[in-house]
Amino acid sequence: MMMNASHHQLHRLNPTQSSSSLLHKPFILSHGRSISSPAYLPTRRTLNFHGKQKCFCIRASATDVREVETSKEKAASVKAVVRATAAGLLSDLGITKPLDVYADWVGKTLLLELVSAEVDSGTGLEKGTIKGYAHKARHEKEEVIYESEFIVPAGFGEVGAILVENEHHKEMFLHNIALDGLPNGPIHINCNSWVHSKFDNPKKRIFFTNKSFLPDDTPSGLKKLREMELENLRGNGKGERKTFDRIYDYDTYNDLGDPDDSEDLARSILGSKDHPYPRRCRTGRPSCKKDPLSEKRSSSVYVPRDEAFEDVKQMTFSTKTLKSVLHALLPQVEIMLLDPHLGFPYFTAIDSLFQEGVPLPKSKNFFQSIIPRLVKTIAEGKGDILLFETPAMIDRDKFAWFRDEEFSRQALAGLNPYSLQLVTEWPLKSKLDPEIYGPPESLITAELIEKEIKGVMTIDEALKQKKMFILDYHDLFLPYVNKVREIEGTTLYGSRTLFFLTMEGTLRPLAIELTRPPVGDKPQWKQVFTPGWDGTSCWLWRLAKTHVCAHDSGYHQLVVHWLRTHCCTEPYIIAANRQLSAMHPIYRLLHPHFRYTMEINALARESLINAGGIIESCFSPGKYAIELSSAAYDQLWRFDMEALPADLIRRGMAVEDPTTEHGLKLTIEDYPFANDGLVLWDAIKQWVRDYVNHYYPDPSLVESDKELQAWWTEVRTKGHADKKDEPWWPVMKTPEDLIHVLTTIIWVTAGHHAAVNFGQYVYAGYFPNRPTIARTNMPTEDPSDEEFKNFLHKPEIALLKCFPSQIQATKVMAVLDVLSNHSPDEEYLGDQMEPSWTENPIIKAAFERFNGRLKELEGIIDGRNTNLNLKNRTGAGVVPYELLKPFSKPGVTGMGVPNSISI
């Protein structure tokens, strides 16, 4: 019995596999995304001996053209050109190589199938596809071109998608497919996706054209493919994911610990009632034997295949470098610096990191070839040295880190501009349980503050005039103090640091309060330190500042950077791939801002935030570091407060004012991060508004968009499941709702991340400016006579002992150098137009306006940095504030806003 056309097309997509393996179940994929479950790509990589990517060009002729209704119109001769790159360094090796050579020789490298966007007018069913093999035609630089010719019968209709089957035994990276000779003009399909070998996964890939459609506007011939694609991308939640899978699903952070290796490496599971947390991508690895709720760790962490462009994109320059530092360089540093607790004996020893370096074992130029900025060769046969470049801040002013004015300035224009808040209540008082943590009242009194501001005004006047600001790490840190102090080589306090806004618009530090809760038979200890005018007071103040800087470094890295950008973004990515078709205009808007984030997050779970990793071994909270970020997520994180204007208002750093340029009046006029950030926020929002209004001309279309609603529901209920019932989640009913949500997400992935990431080496490369850990208690906390005597005799030694150890400092400096680095082909915000935008003249014009606004912002920032009246962003020895300049050259530049969280 003959199948009807609809049946026949679906049979081609999912035929029953025969024992002879001649028939395979094709699978559907759109815009480089699988829609089958599971979707497999090959694990084997193939590279040539020179380490260069090998590209192929294939020529194909239509050998299996299916019959289609004829009409009076003539059939069209269509040429397909596929640009591709082969995978891996060993592509010319392996037992399957001769088979692949034969496939190329007989002209059967790729099997292409054209899918009509229309249904049959008579039956209402999908039309049959037109098949043709492609084979290698020629090489063009690093690409290989495949060419194919089809005879497209009259009445076939517009091509809406192409099915691709890779006949090789190795995966292949498809850049794009171009069809020329169609009646309505050429079609360009942007792929940028790995296509697995049919021998690894028999299901075919599907690539939709660059036209975007809301669900209800999907061409009739593509509706079933669109739905099938999404069903398969979601998977079934079972089994361990393979390297070539493209399944997006959720799991808790239950893979940071390694209880099977050691009890000391067991960690709390994050993503529960006790420890709320965003969700990560599910890997399906087996459970640990000693803790069935924890997942076994592995040498590599699964991410859906197209989330890792490892062997194709130069973009991974930074990621590969980071892996080299983590897995190869740092173990060598540990070998050379045997004592993990050995500190720096003198400040000149710190300087030697930039002048003489740390000797490394001989590596046959391995390190120099992959991290030339960090590793230098001394002389032939004498090994390498780890030699750090002098950070820009110290290069401009070697003693800037020592000064109070720079300590204050960096709260507005440094690496963490997200913590400073306006003081709105007085007296300061803890909200923690006094039965557990001791008296809640602060020792920072009105009398002390009025004394420090020299009687300029009363505390009430200072509060009324919005002159008092605070870095408050008291209530968040205090519950961890006693637990952290049980760890060898670190300590912790709850802290409050008060600042006064001067007539010049700069901040002046007034007081630091450090608190230890009751422990054992000891009562609560707290003390206030102020900038003194005698030797003892001055050194105690410097030590107190060191503790605060360590608190700020930890909060910056764990909360402001990791949690609020990397971690909270992953659920948006997973939900988008599960619920938004690749042809959905919102998916295409967000996709550039999601590139590579899942891969860098997986690397973080592997080596940075894992038990015993860099964060735990080098930051004050130690093994409680990521648990502390969970507490911050529970107490502080709200999606509606991640928008820049809302964040500024929440912290008292701005108030709404419709008469001002950005609708906000800043509490501190010279706030470089906020001033530049608001220009960038407005530019992003205008671009998003132009885009959304084009695709949703009728406001009701937002609420009726089932894919969009499913995405936003899943972000809340699955991706951020521990906060799914919070009342503050934005609704998604109007274009304005959608515009605000999308602007917030793009701001977080671009502006927010750039502001807190790419200045890391500039400000923390010289670690005394931002120590990641304070290793000793204050000399005045329960001191022995001998300890206090030593402090009085040599206070500099007390400060050096408080600083990170040599191993800790060296490790962190190496990692920060890589994290601050822009790769040679970094994709910057508003710089490169997506192919789907290029083909739409309205979207293209809107993007060009967006690009123009970002270039204007560059000029605005340059102008502000020459204005000496703006003392918080420029001046003698001051690093100009450039972190939100949109574009940058490669390297550690302290500027540049990439599209996504890619490092």
Side-chain angles (χ1 to χ4, degrees):
M1 185 172 66
M2 293 184 66
M3 292 184 288
N4 60 35
S6 175
H7 239 149
H8 194 49
Q9 183 180 0
L10 293 180
H11 178 72
R12 284 179 175 272
L13 294 175
N14 289 287
T16 302
Q17 189 171 0
S18 71
S19 58
S20 67
S21 298
L22 292 177
L23 295 176
H24 298 286
K25 262 187 180 175
F27 86 94
I28 311 300
L29 189 89
S30 157
H31 195 60
R33 306 191 305 149
S34 162
I35 62 169
S36 71
S37 171
Y40 297 107
L41 285 172
T43 55
R44 297 182 294 277
R45 302 254 178 100
T46 55
L47 301 173
N48 61 32
F49 285 114
H50 302 290
K52 294 181 180 178
Q53 298 156 4
K54 197 168 183 179
C55 298
F56 303 93
C57 199
I58 302 174
R59 207 182 290 277
S61 59
T63 59
D64 184 26
V65 177
R66 299 174 56 187
E67 292 184 6
V68 181
E69 266 185 46
T70 60
S71 71
K72 294 180 181 178
E73 300 174 19
K74 293 182 179 180
S77 176
V78 176
K79 181 178 179 180
V81 177
V82 182
R83 294 184 176 272
T85 304
L89 280 173
L90 303 175
S91 58
D92 293 327
L93 297 180
I95 60 174
T96 61
K97 180 60 181 176
L99 299 175
D100 293 345
V101 171
Y102 177 75
D104 289 344
W105 183 71
V106 299
K108 292 188 175 182
T109 309
L110 291 175
L111 176 61
L112 308 179
E113 293 188 47
L114 306 187
V115 180
S116 175
E118 302 173 5
V119 293
D120 187 280
S121 58
T123 65
L125 302 174
E126 289 84 358
K127 296 180 179 180
T129 60
I130 302 175
K131 296 173 64 176
Y133 279 104
H135 65 142
K136 190 187 302 185
R138 63 187 181 279
H139 287 249
E140 289 184 3
K141 296 182 179 179
E142 303 248 329
E143 290 183 344
V144 189
I145 311 302
Y146 300 84
E147 292 181 355
S148 172
E149 292 182 3
F150 297 88
I151 302 300
V152 178
F156 182 74
E158 185 175 351
V159 174
I162 297 183
L163 301 175
V164 179
E165 182 178 80
N166 177 9
E167 307 297 309
H168 273 192
H169 289 74
K170 309 293 184 183
E171 65 182 345
M172 188 180 300
F173 188 83
L174 259 60
H175 298 280
N176 55 64
I177 302 172
L179 301 177
D180 196 19
L182 290 165
N184 296 325
I187 290 179
H188 298 276
I189 298 176
N190 190 47
C191 302
N192 285 331
S193 178
W194 290 100
V195 176
H196 57 267
S197 164
K198 72 175 185 180
F199 301 102
D200 286 311
N201 179 0
K203 296 183 179 180
K204 296 170 185 170
R205 292 292 310 279
I206 183 170
F207 296 97
F208 292 118
T209 64
N210 292 340
K211 287 187 177 180
S212 299
F213 298 99
L214 297 181
D216 289 345
D217 297 329
T218 308
S220 54
L222 304 176
K223 286 183 177 180
K224 289 183 180 178
L225 300 189
R226 181 170 182 151
E227 293 171 3
M228 288 174 60
E229 171 201 30
L230 291 173
E231 288 174 5
N232 285 283
L233 276 167
R234 296 172 197 136
N236 60 11
K238 298 177 182 179
E240 183 173 357
R241 298 271 65 85
K242 303 298 190 293
T243 306
F244 43 77
D245 279 347
R246 348 173 80 82
I247 304 298
Y248 293 80
D249 205 352
Y250 301 95
D251 209 340
T252 59
Y253 278 74
N254 62 352
D255 64 339
L256 300 182
D258 194 357
D260 286 351
D261 183 64
S262 166
E263 283 188 19
D264 292 337
L265 296 178
R267 293 293 180 268
S268 299
I269 294 170
L270 306 184
S272 64
K273 183 178 179 182
D274 293 334
H275 300 293
Y277 219 54
R279 299 301 190 258
R280 62 166 175 93
C281 183
R282 179 186 176 276
T283 67
R285 290 175 292 186
S287 299
C288 293
K289 294 178 180 178
K290 294 183 179 178
D291 179 11
L293 297 179
S294 293
E295 187 175 276
K296 274 186 177 291
R297 293 180 58 76
S298 55
S299 58
S300 61
V301 181
Y302 164 79
V303 294
R305 185 64 182 99
D306 280 341
E307 301 297 333
F309 289 80
E310 197 168 311
D311 292 321
V312 173
K313 293 286 291 179
Q314 245 188 326
M315 181 68 204
T316 53
F317 166 81
S318 296
T319 306
K320 286 182 178 178
T321 304
L322 181 56
K323 287 181 179 178
S324 300
V325 168
L326 294 173
H327 299 313
L329 178 63
L330 297 190
Q332 296 299 321
V333 171
E334 290 177 338
I335 291 172
M336 301 304 293
L337 302 173
L338 294 176
D339 185 352
H341 303 295
L342 181 66
F344 290 88
Y346 314 104
F347 275 92
T348 51
I350 299 173
D351 295 338
S352 71
L353 293 172
F354 308 101
Q355 297 164 0
E356 299 166 22
V358 178
L360 295 172
K362 295 180 182 179
S363 66
K364 296 183 179 180
N365 290 329
F366 169 72
F367 290 125
Q368 192 184 18
S369 65
I370 57 174
I371 39 179
R373 178 181 154 87
L374 283 173
V375 177
K376 308 289 190 291
T377 299
I378 309 172
E380 190 170 348
K382 292 190 177 181
D384 297 330
I385 57 170
L386 174 62
L387 184 65
F388 293 97
E389 295 195 10
T390 304
M393 176 190 160
I394 298 304
D395 189 47
R396 284 175 174 262
D397 183 350
K398 185 177 181 179
F399 302 105
W401 69 276
F402 215 57
R403 300 198 313 269
D404 285 353
E405 53 268 33
E406 182 63 14
F407 171 66
S408 302
R409 189 190 74 83
Q410 287 184 28
L412 296 170
L415 192 52
N416 177 20
Y418 270 99
S419 287
L420 191 71
Q421 324 176 44
L422 178 70
V423 177
T424 57
E425 296 180 358
W426 194 268
L428 302 175
K429 189 175 181 179
S430 172
K431 293 180 173 62
L432 298 175
D433 185 351
E435 294 294 321
I436 300 175
Y437 300 104
E441 294 81 15
S442 171
L443 293 183
I444 302 177
T445 63
E447 292 76 21
L448 184 149
I449 293 300
E450 288 170 3
K451 176 184 175 184
E452 287 300 315
I453 60 178
K454 309 292 189 268
V456 171
M457 61 183 68
T458 65
I459 187 68
D460 290 335
E461 290 170 333
L463 292 171
K464 187 175 181 180
Q465 296 181 34
K466 298 184 177 182
K467 296 286 188 180
M468 300 292 298
F469 296 85
I470 187 171
L471 287 177
D472 191 349
Y473 299 127
H474 186 276
D475 284 10
L476 182 63
F477 281 30
L478 204 62
Y480 288 91
V481 168
N482 289 333
K483 292 192 288 188
V484 167
R485 286 180 172 220
E486 294 174 0
I487 304 170
E488 182 183 5
T490 186
T491 191
L492 193 64
Y493 293 99
S495 68
R496 297 184 180 104
T497 306
L498 247 62
F499 300 87
F500 178 74
L501 183 62
T502 68
M503 297 284 289
E504 288 78 25
T506 58
L507 291 175
R508 183 178 144 219
L510 300 178
I512 293 172
E513 180 180 42
L514 300 178
T515 305
R516 181 206 69 200
V519 54
D521 58 355
K522 294 182 179 180
Q524 181 196 69
W525 177 90
K526 65 176 66 169
Q527 186 172 347
V528 177
F529 303 90
T530 58
W533 297 95
D534 62 273
T536 302
S537 296
C538 283
W539 276 102
L540 287 174
W541 172 249
R542 287 168 184 154
L543 282 163
K545 281 201 302 181
T546 298
H547 281 274
V548 169
C549 287
H551 299 168
D552 194 62
S553 290
Y555 186 83
H556 159 261
Q557 205 64 266
L558 296 170
V559 179
V560 175
H561 183 195
W562 162 253
L563 173 68
R564 291 178 62 180
T565 65
H566 288 259
C567 187
C568 286
T569 295
E570 187 151 338
Y572 312 148
I573 302 172
I574 298 172
N577 283 277
R578 287 166 55 88
Q579 300 298 342
L580 296 175
S581 168
M583 65 167 70
H584 198 294
I586 301 306
Y587 178 84
R588 284 176 163 159
L589 174 67
L590 289 174
H591 186 246
H593 305 288
F594 290 163
R595 286 175 182 144
Y596 322 119
T597 301
M598 291 179 72
E599 181 182 21
I600 199 67
N601 287 2
L603 180 59
R605 302 205 315 274
E606 183 184 329
S607 303
L608 290 174
I609 65 171
N610 61 301
I614 300 297
I615 295 294
E616 287 195 0
S617 62
C618 299
F619 284 74
S620 282
K623 69 178 185 179
Y624 300 102
I626 303 302
E627 185 182 316
L628 190 148
S629 75
S630 168
Y633 178 72
D634 183 29
Q635 299 171 32
L636 302 172
W637 188 85
R638 295 175 47 157
F639 181 89
D640 63 329
M641 294 295 155
E642 292 304 287
L644 177 60
D647 172 81
L648 294 171
I649 292 170
R650 181 191 201 185
R651 294 187 284 120
M653 303 303 291
V655 294
E656 290 189 40
D657 184 349
T659 67
T660 59
E661 182 181 3
H662 306 292
L664 292 181
K665 179 177 174 57
L666 295 178
T667 310
I668 300 176
E669 291 184 12
D670 182 15
Y671 186 0
F673 161 72
N675 283 309
D676 297 353
L678 286 171
V679 180
L680 183 58
W681 168 271
D682 283 356
I684 295 170
K685 191 165 189 176
Q686 185 58 56
W687 153 238
V688 173
R689 174 172 280 111
D690 290 343
Y691 191 97
V692 168
N693 286 341
H694 174 69
Y695 285 104
Y696 296 89
D698 181 344
S700 67
L701 291 174
V702 170
E703 200 164 5
S704 64
D705 185 336
K706 60 184 181 182
E707 288 185 5
L708 182 70
Q709 294 299 326
W711 167 67
W712 187 234
T713 298
E714 193 165 289
V715 165
R716 303 190 321 270
T717 62
K718 292 188 177 181
H720 288 274
D722 300 325
K723 287 182 174 279
K724 62 183 174 64
D725 297 322
E726 296 286 356
W728 39 254
W729 281 104
V731 297
M732 186 70 74
K733 293 185 177 180
T734 68
E736 200 58 37
D737 297 334
L738 178 56
I739 289 165
H740 189 72
V741 165
L742 296 175
T743 303
T744 299
I745 291 174
I746 294 172
W747 163 257
V748 168
T749 63
H752 179 151
H753 182 258
V756 302
N757 181 75
F758 291 101
Q760 292 194 85
Y761 193 75
V762 172
Y763 288 106
Y766 186 76
F767 70 84
N769 183 59
R770 288 187 66 80
T772 58
I773 189 171
R775 297 192 296 150
T776 59
N777 295 338
M778 289 294 293
T780 52
E781 183 197 341
D782 305 328
S784 66
D785 291 341
E786 185 69 20
E787 287 172 336
F788 198 72
K789 182 180 177 181
N790 289 338
F791 162 68
L792 293 175
H793 179 64
K794 272 268 186 155
E796 179 183 327
I797 299 300
L799 181 60
L800 287 166
K801 285 183 177 179
C802 190
F803 281 157
S805 68
Q806 291 190 34
I807 284 182
Q808 289 169 331
T810 307
K811 279 183 174 182
V812 171
M813 289 167 66
V815 172
L816 294 187
D817 185 277
V818 178
L819 293 181
S820 304
N821 209 317
H822 288 297
S823 64
D825 63 347
E826 189 83 88
E827 297 178 11
Y828 294 100
L829 183 68
D831 189 33
Q832 297 181 26
M833 196 177 303
E834 293 293 295
S836 61
W837 305 343
T838 306
E839 295 185 15
N840 185 315
I842 295 175
I843 300 302
K844 181 180 179 182
F847 184 85
E848 288 170 347
R849 291 193 297 271
F850 179 44
N851 174 267
R853 292 187 194 101
L854 297 180
K855 289 177 178 177
E856 287 176 11
L857 175 57
E858 294 229 311
I860 290 170
I861 291 174
D862 287 339
R864 287 171 174 172
N865 287 337
T866 61
N867 185 351
L868 292 178
N869 293 321
L870 302 177
K871 296 180 173 62
N872 292 324
R873 67 182 306 142
T874 190
V878 173
V879 176
Y881 190 77
E882 298 181 310
L883 288 172
L884 291 177
K885 283 188 76 171
F887 311 111
S888 172
K889 62 183 182 182
V892 177
T893 63
M895 65 179 74
V897 181
N899 268 326
S900 63
I901 303 164
S902 57
I903 189 64

